[in-house]
C-alpha cells in the first residue's frame, strides 16, 4: 500500500513539476516579450523626440520669430487707420482745390501784367 502511494505521489510530482515548468516557461516568455516590446517602444520614442540641440535650435528660432513679430506689431501699430486715411484724402482734396484756385489767380495776374506791359511805350 505504501508503495502504491509513493508511486501515486511520484506521478503527481511529475505532473505538478510539468505544470509548474509550463507556467514558469509561459511567465518567462511573457516577461521576455514585454521587455522586448518595451525596448522597441523606447527606441521609437527616442527617434521621435528631438535631440537637445534641436530643441535649443527651435528655442532660438522661436525667440527670433517673437522678436520679428514684435517689430511687425510695432510697425503695424504706427500705420494710419482707415479713418485717418479718409481725413488725409479730404485734406489733400482741399489742398488741390486751393492750389488750383491759386494757380488760376497767378495766371490771371500774369496775363494782366503782360497786358499792362504791352500797353506801355
Amino acid at each position: 500500500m505504501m508503495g502504491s502511494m509513493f508511486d501515486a505521489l511520484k506521478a503527481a510530482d511529475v505532473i505538478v513539476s510539468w505544470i509548474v515548468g509550463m507556467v514558469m516557461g509561459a511567465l518567462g516568455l511573457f516577461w521576455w516579450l514585454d521587455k522586448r516590446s518595451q525596448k522597441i517602444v523606447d527606441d521609437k520614442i527616442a527617434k521621435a523626440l528631438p535631440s537637445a540641440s534641436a530643441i535649443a535650435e527651435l528655442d532660438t528660432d522661436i525667440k527670433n520669430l517673437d522678436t520679428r513679430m514684435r517689430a511687425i506689431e510695432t510697425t503695424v501699430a504706427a500705420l494710419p487707420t482707415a479713418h485717418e486715411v479718409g481725413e488725409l484724402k479730404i485734406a489733400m482734396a482741399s489742398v488741390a482745390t486751393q492750389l488750383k484756385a491759386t494757380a488760376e489767380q497767378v495766371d490771371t495776374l500774369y496775363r494782366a501784367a503782360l497786358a499792362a506791359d504791352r500797353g506801355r511805350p
Side-chain angles (χ1 to χ4, degrees), residues 49-111:
L49 291 178
S51 64
S53 62
I55 291 173
E57 184 178 330
L58 287 174
D59 190 38
T60 56
D61 287 346
I62 289 171
K63 287 178 182 176
N64 290 340
L65 289 174
D66 186 49
T67 303
R68 289 176 59 195
M69 284 298 294
R70 287 176 196 245
I72 290 172
E73 287 174 352
T74 303
T75 304
V76 168
L79 292 175
T81 62
H83 179 68
E84 292 171 339
V85 171
E87 289 178 351
L88 184 62
K89 284 181 181 180
I90 293 170
M92 291 291 287
S94 174
V95 167
T97 304
Q98 290 176 357
L99 183 62
K100 186 176 180 181
T102 303
E104 288 176 2
Q105 289 174 353
V106 168
D107 189 47
T108 303
L109 289 174
Y110 180 71
R111 287 184 186 171

